[in-house]
């Protein structure tokens, strides 16, 4: 095999099927969010470098806290990090 004047051609494609997570935090009856998520939803359709957004509908009696929530982000290299999105559902308060 020659040791010089070599030419190589490579084909690169984005890594597909990368996992990311949505952590859901529901406000407790004392008006605070727990440190641990109420629910975790795992996804596996990410593509490295692409932006992923999730839609979350708060359950009855709650409202999505858009100011606190992080519902989109860039899919990182899975060897370096994992995208963790967060949805915060504040408890509705009623006065009778």
């Amino acid at each position: 095999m020659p040791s010089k004047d070599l030419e190589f051609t490579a084909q690169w494609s984005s890594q597909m099927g990368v996992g990311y997570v949505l952590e859901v935090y529901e406000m407790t009856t004392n008006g605070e969010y727990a440190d641990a998520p109420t629910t975790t939803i795992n996804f596996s359709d990410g593509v490295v470098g692409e932006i992923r957004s999730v839609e979350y509908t708060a359950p009855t009696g709650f409202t999505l806290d858009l100011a606190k929530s992080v519902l989109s982000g860039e899919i990182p290299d899975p060897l370096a990090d994992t995208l963790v999105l967060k949805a915060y559902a504040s408890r509705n308060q009623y006065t009778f």
Side-chain angles (χ1 to χ4, degrees):
M1 179 172 195
S3 60
K4 59 182 182 175
D5 297 326
L6 300 175
E7 186 175 314
F8 296 93
T9 303
Q11 285 187 302
W12 181 86
S13 62
S14 297
Q15 187 170 357
M16 301 172 68
V18 177
Y20 57 102
V21 176
L22 172 64
E23 294 179 344
V24 178
Y25 296 84
E26 290 180 0
M27 184 179 280
T28 63
T29 54
N30 65 3
E32 297 177 2
Y33 294 105
D35 292 334
T38 307
T39 305
T40 301
I41 303 169
N42 295 299
F43 298 90
S44 61
D45 62 344
V47 177
V48 172
E50 289 190 356
I51 302 295
R52 279 292 186 248
S53 298
V54 295
E55 291 185 19
Y56 176 76
T57 302
T60 302
F62 292 86
T63 301
L64 181 61
D65 184 346
L66 290 172
K68 193 165 179 68
S69 298
V70 178
L71 300 176
S72 67
E74 183 176 337
I75 302 292
D77 179 339
L79 297 177
D81 205 358
T82 299
L83 176 61
V84 179
L85 304 174
K86 297 182 181 203
Y88 288 85
S90 63
R91 187 174 293 275
N92 295 343
Q93 297 179 9
Y94 305 95
T95 303
F96 296 98

